[in-house]
Amino acid sequence: MQSKHMAKYEIFKEIEIGGLTKAQLLENLIVAGVQFNQYAEVLFDHPQFSPNLKSEKVKLVKVKLSDLNLDNPSSFQEMVNRATASGLKLCPLYL
């Protein structure tokens, strides 16, 4: 997740994503010895799983429900809505 209000959230990792086609990403994972279960195969086959051909750096942050002024339990949609309103973006599916 990336935010214009990053000071509010703990950045736990900065990474570079994208820059590969789906086929290249899959090949790199296979060469690295990553094993895939049936759910990984479904994910890679999904039409929304399309890595960005442009490479970009992203900052991943840890966010608690309380950071978003939410209590347990909360729906996924409530979390997404609050995170988006706070300036955060969801990670792309290929991440």
Side-chain angles (χ1 to χ4, degrees):
M1 295 183 137
Q2 198 167 13
S3 171
K4 53 189 167 188
H5 308 289
M6 289 308 260
K8 182 177 176 181
Y9 304 104
E10 176 188 350
I11 298 170
F12 74 92
K13 192 161 199 156
E14 293 185 46
I15 61 173
E16 191 167 329
I17 62 172
L20 299 173
T21 66
K22 185 187 295 191
Q24 290 170 323
L25 176 58
L26 187 55
E27 180 64 26
N28 286 355
L29 292 170
I30 291 169
V31 167
V34 174
Q35 296 179 359
F36 298 93
N37 63 21
Q38 66 186 31
Y39 299 108
E41 292 171 7
V42 168
L43 176 66
F44 267 87
D45 287 339
H46 196 282
Q48 288 187 349
F49 187 94
S50 55
N52 191 342
L53 295 179
K54 181 181 176 199
S55 178
E56 66 177 310
K57 290 184 180 181
V58 295
K59 296 176 183 176
L60 303 176
V61 298
K62 295 180 181 182
V63 181
K64 299 178 199 166
L65 288 177
S66 60
D67 294 336
L68 302 173
N69 296 319
L70 290 170
D71 296 320
N72 287 329
S74 296
S75 72
F76 177 71
Q77 192 59 54
E78 288 174 306
M79 291 183 276
V80 169
N81 292 345
R82 292 285 178 94
T84 301
S86 296
L88 296 169
K89 295 189 304 185
L90 292 178
C91 297
L93 187 57
Y94 63 90
L95 182 57

